[in-house]
Amino acid sequence: MSELLTRTFLTALISGGLIAGVSLMFTALGETISERAGVLNIGLEGMMLVGAYIGFVGAYYGHSFWVGFAAGIAGGAFASLFMVVLCVRLGLDQIVVGIAITLAGEGITSVLQDTQFGSTYPRLGAPPTVAIPLLSDIPVLGKSVFDQPLIVYLGLAGVGAVSWIFRRTNAGLNLRAAGEKPEALDAAGVSVVATRSYAVLCTGALAGLGGAYLSIVGAGTFTPFMTQGQGFMAIVIAMLARGKPLWVVMGSFLFGISLSVATALQLAGINISTDVVNLLPFIAIMVALVAFARRSYLPPALALPYIRGAR
Amino acid sequence: MTGATTDTALAPESRPLEPAAPSRRFVANALDVVVRSIVPVLLALGAGAILLLALGRDPITFYSNVWKGGIQLTAWQDSAIRAAPLLLIAVGLVVVFRANIWNLGYNGQFLLGAALISGLGPHLVASEPRWFALLVLFLVAGGAGAAWTLVPALLKARYETNEIITTLMMSFIGVGVANILIKGPFQDPAVNIPQTRVLPLNKMLPSIPGTRIHIGVLVALAAALLVHFVLTRTSFGLRLQILGANPRAARHIGVKVPRLIVMSFLVSGLLVGMAAAADILGTWGYVRANWNPAYGDTVIPFVFLARLNALALIPFVVFYAVLSTGGDLATQQANLSTDFLLVLVALILLFMTVIEYLGRRRALGASYLTPGLQQAFRSSRLRRKTSA
């Protein structure tokens, strides 16, 4: 039992949890935005993979992590463009298009990886980190929590910004109205389609950034299907967080930690089947859903296309 | 526009030929269905060809290799075998999709069934008569698939929890549990690779004489016919359709919605589990850890293309079985990852939704009057014109 609390275990648990948690955080934050605007984005997994692949390629050939993150954002936004045109503009079924985007993202990134790199998986170096003075000197915790790449701090600031936009700005009010009662928004003279389009684009960009973080910082390389269901976990986190960005952060890190338990245990030399441990996050989600089923909240207009004048 | 003018021009002549109208309507309807189902596939294959060119591969060689590997010589038998699990899963999805319920947990349901029967199979076929053992294994796989839908079904029925989320989560758990079973209790002690014991060939599903096609294919066809009958000719099917069209109306006319949700989930899971039985007992004979053919992911577009009609599914599933069997050869020859097929499938889905949209636009522009009323309206207008 004392082995559980060794330095290596805790460091691996927390740093692994942060890596998974940060990518989940970006993606779930994106899903929160589009869910609030009334678009259920099932294609998140595909957008993450596209972002992960393009972000990795950008970082690899651009020799810069920032080029990689920018490329990931662009890739995710490009993938979400399909959703904007087909679901928001044309009002097609969001679930069908979402499944298509996931399938296409999985297929195309796997094919491209295969044709471009074959079975070699080139690696990137470790990203530069920014240590917060004083806090990073705390033993064990400090080094793994308060010594992160700059993008993590920016991301956390971004969560605060989104939370503020939701509650304090007209744009946030429009966004929520698009999900709660699009007719009202339309009557107020604001275009529902435009509002939702921007929301979905933001979602794609954030999912792409989440994927890029996973491949550039987390793994240092791209492997096909590397998101392993994180896109779907992000949907659940967004759903359980009931549209509150700060809850999204907490949920993401909770699930991030449960994702990293497996590797941490292995490093600590404890023999537990990784299959069992890998199930933990999903079981945790199911337990949460069973326990809080009545309290999860989704906007009433979610997944319904808005057609002006239709009843 | 031109169609409308010729119609009015022809109206006086066509009035005496009243019976001709329904058959023309039938032809137009059939044409509409063909256009909406076949055109997306053709467009996707075309877009796939452009993609192949962009990747520096020859699309003609690629598609001719698909033909070679999927149809020619005896390859069509492989395609038929591949179609069995695909068809069963697709039919299982039709049942829930008709009720507008999204069972997206097919991978977990499938693999759990597969792991259970390949673990229990070798013992059972050794001790029991062949037919009895095979029947029990089919039921075990079906039962496992059905049981795995129970939590999402109850959550949806009781609390209206979004079933997309719950089935996906249960799917991940199911895949994990299947792997644990394969590496743990069902591990073949004779080998080092994590896999179950292999069923003896003479204890697997027998094949149709003269071919390699096992009778699981017939089971799948029978299931498709049966489900089509139930969905179109029984009150259960009608209630499902009402639930899918308008849950509030369903409650209003006295349909017990929660029970119906659970029932449709169970039937769907049962069929997905039976797909695993047909695949394992007919084709593989064992399961290796981390094996996940993800049949359901690739068959979903065809469920929509067939417009949730179990009978219309058969040609589509056969088409995809050929594409995927031949695609194995074609991607290998072109030195591509087999995941290229996923791209083709996604393209079909995208083009399908677009064509659907165009069709709906045209339908919205068309007259909402029934053909008889249109005729009456036209003739009265004509009479007014002639009198004036």
Side-chain angles (χ1 to χ4, degrees):
Chain A
M1 202 56 213
S2 62
E3 269 177 286
L4 261 177
L5 299 171
T6 55
R7 221 188 158 87
T8 41
F9 173 78
L10 274 181
T11 325
L13 181 72
I14 293 167
S15 58
L18 279 176
I19 284 170
V22 168
S23 68
L24 269 178
M25 177 186 83
F26 282 126
T27 316
L29 188 67
E31 179 71 11
T32 305
I33 295 174
S34 86
E35 272 186 15
R36 279 240 142 163
V39 181
L40 182 65
N41 199 335
I42 298 279
L44 225 48
E45 182 91 356
M47 294 177 192
M48 270 184 99
L49 277 168
V50 171
Y53 179 74
I54 295 185
F56 169 73
V57 169
Y60 184 69
Y61 290 112
H63 302 291
S64 154
F65 291 98
W66 293 106
V67 172
F69 290 130
I73 289 174
F78 173 73
S80 72
L81 219 53
F82 287 94
M83 194 128 206
V84 171
V85 173
L86 295 176
C87 299
V88 179
R89 303 260 152 183
L90 302 185
L92 302 179
D93 195 303
Q94 292 171 7
I95 294 169
V96 176
V97 174
I99 293 171
I101 290 177
T102 294
L103 287 178
E106 287 175 349
I108 202 91
T109 53
S110 166
V111 168
L112 284 176
Q113 202 276 337
D114 193 51
T115 47
Q116 199 156 14
F117 301 110
S119 51
T120 63
Y121 295 98
R123 294 189 69 87
L124 301 167
T129 56
V130 178
I132 298 178
L134 292 180
L135 284 176
S136 62
D137 297 333
I138 301 170
V140 187
L141 275 182
K143 201 75 189 128
S144 41
V145 178
F146 298 106
D147 191 9
Q148 294 289 333
L150 188 58
I151 190 96
V152 177
Y153 304 123
L154 289 180
L156 286 170
V159 172
V162 170
S163 177
W164 180 76
I165 288 170
F166 273 170
R167 276 189 298 172
R168 292 270 183 265
T169 66
N170 277 345
L173 190 63
N174 291 347
L175 203 76
R176 283 185 299 166
E180 298 287 336
K181 198 143 186 72
E183 301 86 356
L185 185 64
D186 201 12
V190 182
S191 164
V192 176
V193 168
T195 310
R196 286 185 170 180
S197 299
Y198 294 132
V200 173
L201 270 182
C202 284
T203 307
L206 281 168
L209 181 58
Y213 186 83
L214 200 65
S215 66
I216 296 173
V217 180
T221 184
F222 178 85
T223 48
F225 303 95
M226 72 182 301
T227 46
Q228 293 179 334
Q230 283 202 24
F232 296 115
M233 287 178 81
I235 300 174
V236 178
I237 291 168
M239 211 174 106
L240 290 177
R242 304 163 74 190
K244 295 193 174 63
L246 296 178
W247 284 81
V248 167
V249 178
M250 291 205 282
S252 302
F253 287 116
L254 219 65
F255 283 113
I257 295 237
S258 66
L259 275 174
S260 74
V261 165
T263 32
L265 282 177
Q266 271 176 338
L267 281 176
I270 292 170
N271 237 340
I272 279 191
S273 155
T274 51
D275 291 303
V276 178
V277 183
N278 283 340
L279 285 183
L280 288 179
F282 300 113
I283 292 175
I285 284 181
M286 277 315 287
V287 170
L289 280 173
V290 172
F292 303 112
R294 274 158 291 183
R295 272 188 256 168
S296 73
Y297 174 77
L298 291 173
L302 190 66
L304 300 176
Y306 179 68
I307 300 157
R308 200 176 237 185
R311 282 194 296 161
Chain B
M1 203 58 213
T2 50
T5 48
T6 49
D7 261 348
T8 26
L10 284 173
E13 285 95 335
S14 70
R15 206 154 21 123
L17 303 168
E18 201 58 55
S23 84
R24 206 189 329 146
R25 195 154 27 108
F26 176 78
V27 170
N29 265 347
L31 200 70
D32 192 49
V33 168
V34 167
V35 165
R36 284 191 191 196
S37 334
I38 312 257
V39 168
V41 175
L42 294 179
L43 282 175
L45 291 181
I50 294 170
L51 236 120
L52 281 169
L53 276 178
L55 289 169
R57 310 298 200 276
D58 181 12
I60 296 168
T61 334
F62 184 87
Y63 287 127
S64 69
N65 275 336
V66 169
W67 179 264
K68 229 181 262 171
I71 300 261
Q72 265 180 9
L73 300 174
T74 57
W76 64 273
Q77 299 184 359
D78 294 319
S79 301
I81 292 170
R82 178 80 56 101
L86 291 172
L87 186 58
L88 276 166
I89 292 179
V91 168
L93 293 180
V94 164
V95 175
V96 272
F97 286 1
R98 277 222 175 191
N100 208 8
I101 297 171
W102 299 90
N103 174 14
L104 300 184
Y106 37 75
N107 283 337
Q109 292 151 24
F110 179 90
L111 280 177
L112 207 64
L116 272 180
I117 56 167
S118 45
L120 301 176
H123 302 285
L124 208 64
V125 292
S127 58
E128 305 292 333
R130 184 186 190 180
W131 286 106
F132 176 74
L134 289 176
L135 188 68
V136 168
L137 288 174
F138 254 91
L139 290 180
V140 165
W148 213 244
T149 63
L150 209 56
V151 174
L154 290 175
L155 278 175
K156 164 111 181 151
R158 185 90 174 74
Y159 303 120
E160 292 180 359
T161 311
N162 191 321
E163 74 281 9
I164 297 174
I165 307 299
T166 49
T167 51
L168 276 171
M169 291 303 118
M170 288 304 280
S171 181
F172 285 116
I173 298 174
V175 172
V177 170
N179 277 331
I180 292 170
L181 286 177
I182 293 162
K183 290 178 189 168
F186 296 156
Q187 164 78 40
D188 182 356
V191 293
N192 279 329
I193 321 156
Q195 68 175 48
T196 64
R197 294 185 1 184
V198 183
L199 274 173
L201 209 58
N202 59 349
K203 294 290 172 83
M204 284 166 59
L205 287 176
S207 30
I208 299 165
T211 64
R212 272 177 290 135
I213 300 172
H214 59 79
I215 57 164
V217 179
L218 299 183
V219 173
L221 282 174
L225 294 177
L226 183 71
V227 165
H228 184 69
F229 176 80
V230 170
L231 288 180
T232 54
R233 297 281 183 277
T234 66
S235 78
F236 176 73
L238 184 63
R239 274 181 284 158
L240 269 188
Q241 210 150 356
I242 297 170
L243 178 65
N246 190 339
R248 218 190 280 170
R251 214 170 307 136
H252 199 68
I253 58 166
V255 171
K256 293 197 179 81
V257 173
R259 220 172 71 185
L260 197 60
I261 289 173
V262 175
M263 277 293 288
S264 59
F265 257 118
L266 289 181
V267 173
S268 169
L270 178 88
L271 287 163
V272 174
M274 278 171 56
D279 207 27
I280 298 302
L281 300 177
T283 314
W284 305 104
Y286 73 101
V287 180
R288 191 170 283 184
N290 298 325
W291 176 72
N292 185 359
Y295 291 131
D297 290 334
T298 49
V299 93
I300 274 197
F302 303 99
V303 176
F304 294 125
L305 275 180
R307 334 202 107 239
L308 307 186
N309 180 324
L311 214 54
L313 254 179
I314 298 172
F316 284 112
V317 167
V318 167
F319 164 77
Y320 179 67
V322 170
L323 181 67
S324 86
T325 315
D328 285 346
L329 176 77
T331 47
Q332 202 188 346
Q333 295 277 327
N335 196 17
L336 272 176
S337 146
T338 44
D339 296 324
F340 182 73
L341 295 177
L342 277 183
V343 181
L344 282 184
V345 168
L347 284 172
I348 293 177
L349 257 184
L350 287 178
F351 281 120
M352 182 198 76
T353 42
V354 172
I355 297 269
E356 195 76 356
Y357 168 74
L358 295 176
R360 205 164 60 204
R361 276 202 83 146
R362 221 192 44 187
L364 280 178
S367 170
Y368 57 89
L369 296 175
T370 58
L373 279 175
Q374 280 177 25
Q375 287 277 342
F377 182 67
R378 271 190 209 124
S379 47
S380 73
R381 202 173 46 180
L382 274 176
R383 230 176 291 136
R384 237 183 302 139
K385 256 185 204 161
T386 44
S387 65

